[in-house]
Amino acid sequence: MKSGFKQVLNSLFLNILVIEDNSAEVELIEELLSESPTIRVNVNHVERLSKAIELLAQKKFDAILLDLSLPDSQGLDTIARIKEYGIITPIVVLTARNDQELALQSIQAGAQDYLVKGNVSSELLIRSLRYAVERQLSLEALRLSEEKYRSVVNNIKEVIFQTDTKGNWIFLNPAWTEITGFSVGVSLGNHFLDYIYPEDRPRNLVVFRTLIERKKDDCRYQTRYLTNSGGLRWMEVQSRLTFTLDGAISGTTGTLNDISEQKRAQEALYQSEAREREKAQQLEIALRELQRTEAKLIQNEKMVSLGQLVAGVAHEINNPVGFIYSNINPANEYALDLLDIITLYQQQYPHPSAEIQEIIKAIDLDFVKEDFPRLLASMREGANRIQEIVLSLQNFSHLDKAEMKEADLHKGLDSTLLILQHRLKQQSNRPAIQVIKNYGQLPPVECYPGQLNQVFMNILSNAIDALETMIQEEVSFSPQIRIRTQVNHCEKTVAIAIADNGLGIPPHIKKHLFDPFFTTKPVGRGSGLGLSISYSIIVEKHQGELECRSQIGKGTEFVIKLPILLG
């Protein structure tokens, strides 16, 4: 039978059943209960236990105030008879016997408290009744919780277990039998390792000892359990320590979650992903190869056109420049001879006619005699400069020498710098870019000179672009390009390092630098082929290495490593 006490502990109203055959005592009880300023008490009174049991079956009460000396019941039997009917309403004994032994027996029989008539105040009586109600509420909540826990434990799909400190099962719920096929009754008392797949036992033993030795308070891992049919089940184990009331370790408790289906699904998914990854890798390799081939075709076509243009321009410039250069020396000699004759005439005829004097004054003959040789020398220097540029164009393109040969890399670097001189010199909106050379003693290197010059051009052009960007952000910036070469005799290689002191390259961009068609430049300024082609020329064509080193705010350095002898 359900009790009628309120479900709110701090209720301001109590409905009490007083079982007492003395009407004077009942009046006293009602008086005491009415004195409470905070709680209103409704008193129901019966004189016999039999009548109380009938009333309890019909109505709900928060508490029972019980005398142990009734006409139809005496002593502890009074409490026992109430309990026999399944009544769980909290009982407070109020009797005339001041007997500690009887009080203890009453509590053991199920009463919540034991009060002696004549020694009870209003406050004590109210407090006793409230505490009785609260304790009964707690017991009822605990009972319901235990019932719920047992229901959950018995119906949950996961195995719930407990072991002692030695690892023997001391509790298993029915899910153990459903999953493994082993009977709970047979399994209890056996060591948990007896049910673990043999290969997994050492690891499980280590985990168990880690817990028992308090190196960890809990753990979670996956392992394989045997089944009664001879199969295997994957379990996810969650385990933690249990303790006695005095704080000593009593064993472990936890759950076993059957994840066999998940494992099979994961394995199938893994195999499927592996196949898809393999396909994706094959497609990526094919795509990269296609991009490299496309880039090479585009670059080869560009270089053929550029080579033809360079060859034609060099040829057309070289002929008139050769004509000019070959006639400068005779012209200089003729000019000196004419100036000598004029000087001799001035000495022999110091007083020429007025007309000649006017012409001498008009053309400023003294200035002409002094400046004319310098003018011819300047023309000679200009012709030399044009010849150097033509030679650099020829060295850069090497269209007539496309085969592999030994080459002076320093000459290729200098030729490239000369071609880029218009970008290195001072501009109206920026200072000149300083080029610092630190050349080592390089031997002739077996290579394709024209292709290496193309690599130098790409890297140096990118360095200039980076420095121009830096100058726009920092007006007082002093741009520099440092070129360093050295030889490694042990490895039989040479290294060319080209560095700038620009902004540097962020890591997320750096990892794509050598990808075909990847560029960060605006549309029309970059094709994304320069560094990709350079990488192909160095790594594939020359069996070398091309590495980019960069720090944000400090600059970027490209290091080219080439074997001295190819093949």
Side-chain angles (χ1 to χ4, degrees), residues 385 388-398 407-422 424 435-440 442 449 452-457 460 481-485 496 498:
R385 178 69 173 163
E388 289 176 359
I389 293 174
V390 170
L391 182 60
S392 295
L393 288 172
Q394 291 174 338
N395 288 336
F396 179 78
S397 63
H398 277 274
D408 181 356
L409 298 186
H410 290 160
K411 184 181 292 185
L413 284 165
D414 291 339
S415 297
T416 306
L417 289 170
L418 184 61
I419 293 172
L420 291 172
Q421 188 61 39
H422 68 288
L424 295 170
V435 178
I436 301 173
K437 300 178 186 178
N438 184 12
Y439 287 173
L442 296 188
L452 284 186
N453 289 343
Q454 182 183 349
V455 173
F456 299 153
M457 174 68 76
L460 286 168
I481 292 177
R482 300 177 302 281
I483 304 176
R484 172 174 51 87
T485 64
I496 304 99
I498 301 174

Side-chain angles (χ1 to χ4, degrees), residues 24-292:
E25 290 291 342
V26 174
E27 291 178 2
L28 179 60
I29 291 171
E30 290 178 338
E31 182 180 347
L32 291 174
L33 292 175
S34 65
E35 293 177 2
S36 172
T38 58
I39 296 180
R40 185 165 62 87
V41 181
N42 179 46
V43 177
N44 296 267
H45 169 236
V46 293
E47 295 181 354
R48 293 177 176 272
L49 182 60
S50 57
K51 183 63 176 177
I53 292 173
E54 292 179 6
L55 191 59
L56 285 167
Q58 300 169 6
K59 296 180 65 176
K60 296 179 180 179
F61 296 93
D62 294 319
I64 299 172
L65 204 55
L66 176 66
D67 184 13
L68 296 182
S69 298
L70 298 172
D72 58 346
S73 182
Q74 295 288 320
L76 296 176
D77 287 342
T78 308
I79 300 174
R81 287 180 61 187
I82 294 175
K83 294 296 182 181
E84 285 177 2
Y85 284 91
I87 298 170
I88 61 174
T89 305
I91 300 171
V92 175
V93 174
L94 180 60
T95 184
R97 295 179 59 183
N98 189 0
D99 186 339
Q100 290 187 356
E101 182 65 24
L102 181 59
L104 178 60
Q105 292 174 351
S106 298
I107 299 300
Q108 291 174 345
Q112 294 290 339
D113 203 353
Y114 186 94
L115 302 177
V116 179
K117 294 177 181 178
N119 296 331
V120 178
S121 65
S122 173
E123 182 181 355
L124 176 59
L125 183 58
I126 291 293
R127 183 168 64 247
S128 178
L129 289 170
R130 286 196 62 183
Y131 286 178
V133 171
E134 291 176 359
R135 282 194 295 271
Q136 188 63 34
L137 279 174
S138 298
L139 290 172
E140 180 67 9
L142 179 60
R143 183 185 67 80
L144 293 174
S145 176
E146 289 178 347
E147 288 182 358
K148 183 178 180 181
Y149 174 75
R150 280 193 296 271
S151 175
V152 169
V153 167
N154 290 333
N155 292 285
I156 196 171
K157 298 302 181 182
E158 294 181 346
V159 177
I160 298 176
F161 69 86
Q162 282 185 315
T163 73
D164 59 20
T165 55
K166 294 180 180 179
N168 299 317
W169 297 124
I170 59 176
F171 176 80
L172 289 164
N173 68 332
W176 168 255
T177 302
E178 293 179 14
I179 294 175
T180 67
F182 292 108
S183 166
V184 170
V186 173
S187 302
L188 292 179
N190 294 334
H191 201 281
F192 80 96
L193 286 178
D194 295 341
Y195 301 91
I196 300 290
Y197 184 63
E199 291 183 4
D200 295 352
R201 287 173 185 172
R203 175 170 175 254
N204 278 264
L205 183 58
V206 169
V207 173
F208 181 76
R209 287 176 176 172
T210 299
L211 283 175
I212 295 299
E213 295 170 4
R214 297 209 67 174
K215 294 178 181 177
K216 290 180 66 176
D217 290 334
D218 55 63
C219 63
R220 182 173 181 173
Y221 62 99
Q222 296 177 355
T223 191
R224 289 169 289 184
Y225 268 76
L226 301 171
T227 66
N228 196 27
S229 61
L232 291 174
R233 304 294 288 182
W234 272 98
M235 301 282 197
E236 183 177 61
V237 184
Q238 297 188 63
S239 182
R240 62 179 178 83
L241 289 172
T242 56
F243 301 90
T244 61
L245 293 176
D246 58 0
I249 296 174
S250 60
T252 66
T253 185
T255 59
L256 305 176
N257 183 22
D258 187 2
I259 57 171
S260 302
E261 294 299 326
Q262 297 177 24
K263 280 289 185 179
R264 282 192 284 269
Q266 287 176 358
E267 181 63 25
L269 179 62
Y270 176 79
Q271 293 178 358
S272 175
E273 288 178 346
R275 290 192 295 269
E276 294 302 320
R277 280 196 299 270
E278 185 178 358
K279 291 180 181 178
Q281 289 174 354
Q282 293 174 351
L283 288 173
E284 186 176 358
I285 292 172
L287 177 61
R288 288 181 178 177
E289 187 62 31
L290 180 62
Q291 288 178 329
R292 280 196 293 268

Side-chain angles (χ1 to χ4, degrees), residues 325-387:
Y325 189 82
S326 63
N327 285 289
I328 286 178
N329 286 334
N332 189 53
E333 293 176 2
Y334 297 158
L336 292 176
D337 289 342
L338 289 174
L339 291 174
D340 288 341
I341 291 174
I342 291 172
T343 302
L344 183 59
Y345 263 97
Q346 286 178 323
Q347 291 174 356
Q348 296 294 327
Y349 301 98
H351 303 291
S353 66
E355 184 179 358
I356 293 175
Q357 288 181 1
E358 287 180 3
I359 293 175
I360 290 173
K361 184 176 180 181
I363 66 173
D364 194 355
L365 182 61
D366 291 337
F367 174 77
V368 172
K369 290 166 61 178
E370 181 180 354
D371 190 58
F372 193 46
R374 287 201 296 264
L375 187 146
L376 292 173
S378 177
M379 292 174 64
R380 182 187 295 109
E381 183 179 349
N384 282 332
R385 178 69 173 163
I386 294 173
Q387 282 188 326

